[in-house]
Amino acid sequence: PKADDTGFNEPSQIAFDSSDRLYVMDRANQRIQRCEFAVSWTCSTFFGVTGIPGSDLSHLNYAYGIGIAQPANDIYVTDGGNFRILKCNTSGSCSHFAGVTGQPGEDNNHFAWPADVAVDPSGNVYVSDWSNHRVQKFSSAGTYLSTIGVTQVPYVADSTRINSPWGVAVAGDGSIYMTEN
């Protein structure tokens, strides 16, 4: 594992923006790295403070997932240890999007462990909430819209429950895909 800009420590997710820049969730380094290709790939810290977890709007705490709205380049980050979702611009300025910082929960304003995030073609944001056994849908303004799964009820052999969803993706036609534990 590396704590400088030449490597990663437990990278968890990747995403590209509309300018073909690669964003890497460098989970154990508590940061996001942005990599660009000229003659070769060069990476630098895009957001977070390397190796130092925190809960203010300049730190991450075991952030796993990243999703980028195209072509707007709004960058959504699941900040798992802080139980929140951040929304960032390509300059690295981030703001609170959803969840309550430092407070896990199971109502529609809280997450138990947000693991991944995806954005549909209309700008709606989907968050897999692993410990709550659900995927929540939010508007691009952060307003809660709906839930897939049954909160706090893991998988049973039916079509309404999901077990510990981790990865989430949305296809161009709006179809939602998720991985379950």
Side-chain angles (χ1 to χ4, degrees), residues 148-161:
I148 301 167
V150 179
T151 302
Q152 286 290 307
V153 180
Y155 181 75
V156 177
D158 64 23
S159 61
T160 60
R161 294 171 180 88

Side-chain angles (χ1 to χ4, degrees), residues 116-141:
D116 200 9
V117 61
V119 186
D120 72 17
S122 299
N124 295 311
V125 178
Y126 297 81
V127 178
S128 63
D129 190 3
W130 185 80
S131 295
N132 275 327
H133 306 288
R134 67 185 180 189
V135 172
Q136 288 185 290
K137 179 181 177 181
F138 296 86
S139 72
S140 61

Side-chain angles (χ1 to χ4, degrees), residues 28-51:
N29 275 330
Q30 314 296 342
R31 68 181 177 185
I32 303 167
Q33 289 218 68
R34 180 166 64 191
C35 305
E36 299 183 58
F37 188 82
V39 175
S40 63
W41 284 100
T42 57
C43 299
S44 61
T45 298
F46 168 73
F47 181 80
V49 179
T50 303

Side-chain angles (χ1 to χ4, degrees), residues 15-32:
F16 284 91
D17 68 16
S18 63
S19 297
D20 292 329
R21 294 175 291 202
L22 172 66
Y23 295 79
V24 180
M25 298 302 296
D26 194 4
R27 187 186 68 78
N29 275 330
Q30 314 296 342
R31 68 181 177 185
I32 303 167

Side-chain angles (χ1 to χ4, degrees), residues 126 135 137 148 168-171 173-178:
Y126 297 81
V135 172
K137 179 181 177 181
I148 301 167
V168 63
V170 181
D173 67 0
S175 299
I176 302 164
Y177 296 87
M178 64 192 84

Side-chain angles (χ1 to χ4, degrees), residues 60-100:
L60 296 170
N61 189 1
Y62 292 99
Y64 280 88
I66 186 168
I68 301 178
Q70 301 293 342
N73 283 334
D74 291 327
I75 302 164
Y76 296 90
V77 177
T78 60
D79 190 8
N82 285 318
F83 312 104
R84 68 184 178 188
I85 307 303
L86 299 178
K87 181 178 181 179
C88 308
N89 62 31
T90 56
S91 298
S93 176
C94 298
S95 59
H96 182 267
F97 178 75
V100 178

